[in-house]
Amino acid sequence: MTETEQSPPQSETTATPAVSAVSEKLSNVSFNIWPPSDRTRDAVRKRLIETLSSPSILSKRYGTVSHEEAVEAAKIIEEEAFEVAGKTATAEDDGIEILQVYSKEISKRMLDKMKARSEESEAPPAAAPVNDEPSKAEEEDAGSNAPPQSEKTESVADDE
């Protein structure tokens, strides 16, 4: 056997009482990822603000919003997503499923916000006022017996 394949000395494989005590304490520690801490929620809001108000893949398609508008939107989006995800929480959950709901809700609401804002800015302008009087060009065409340009189908080559 080479030195790298040798088994560790016996003293390293036997747990000492101190290591056993630490292992016991750690086994009693529970790790919950739901609900997220206030610090985590603030970080989510900060990232939302950055995504909404700075150039990104999302802004290439829907544009960016002002920082002030992004702050307000991020607060609303995060609070609504937190509320929806909190309602899906059950005692048996380890929090991963709830965190996924939270994340999906944030993404969905952010996209909905950007789409709605984009549609508002692309709204068609008000229709021009209707004028019942014919234009001067229409009056000239009315007096002419020549067919409109679209009805002239014969080409000069056919005449030869």
Side-chain angles (χ1 to χ4, degrees):
M1 246 200 229
T2 65
E3 288 182 29
T4 56
E5 295 177 7
Q6 291 178 351
S7 62
Q10 188 66 19
S11 63
E12 291 180 19
T13 58
T14 332
T16 62
V19 172
S20 296
V22 170
S23 295
E24 228 175 87
K25 286 181 182 178
L26 290 177
S27 66
N28 293 333
V29 173
S30 65
F31 180 72
N32 294 326
I33 58 174
W34 189 262
S37 67
D38 288 339
R39 183 175 168 201
T40 301
R41 292 181 68 190
D42 288 341
V44 168
R45 286 187 203 109
K46 184 178 178 183
R47 183 67 180 137
L48 271 168
I49 293 166
E50 184 179 320
T51 302
L52 294 170
S53 63
S54 62
S56 66
I57 292 173
L58 190 65
S59 70
K60 285 181 183 177
R61 181 159 187 168
Y62 300 109
T64 58
V65 298
S66 68
H67 183 76
E68 295 77 23
E69 188 179 352
V71 168
E72 190 62 33
K75 180 181 176 189
I76 293 168
I77 289 168
E78 192 280 331
E79 287 175 354
E80 290 176 351
F82 181 81
E83 190 175 312
V84 168
K87 290 178 182 177
T88 65
T90 62
E92 307 84 58
D93 286 336
D94 61 356
I96 293 173
E97 292 85 8
I98 303 164
L99 197 59
Q100 288 174 335
V101 170
Y102 176 66
S103 178
K104 286 179 183 179
E105 284 294 322
I106 287 172
S107 297
K108 180 182 140 225
R109 291 168 190 279
M110 180 177 58
L111 189 56
D112 289 347
K113 164 71 176 161
M114 295 305 288
K115 282 181 179 178
R117 186 179 180 283
S118 176
E119 289 170 1
E120 287 173 6
S121 65
E122 291 178 0
V130 177
N131 188 356
D132 290 337
E133 297 179 25
S135 68
K136 187 174 183 178
E138 289 173 342
E139 287 176 3
E140 289 175 2
D141 285 345
S144 170
N145 289 334
Q149 187 67 23
S150 62
E151 291 182 20
K152 294 180 182 178
T153 55
E154 295 180 20
S155 69
V156 176
D158 290 341
D159 290 340
E160 295 177 4

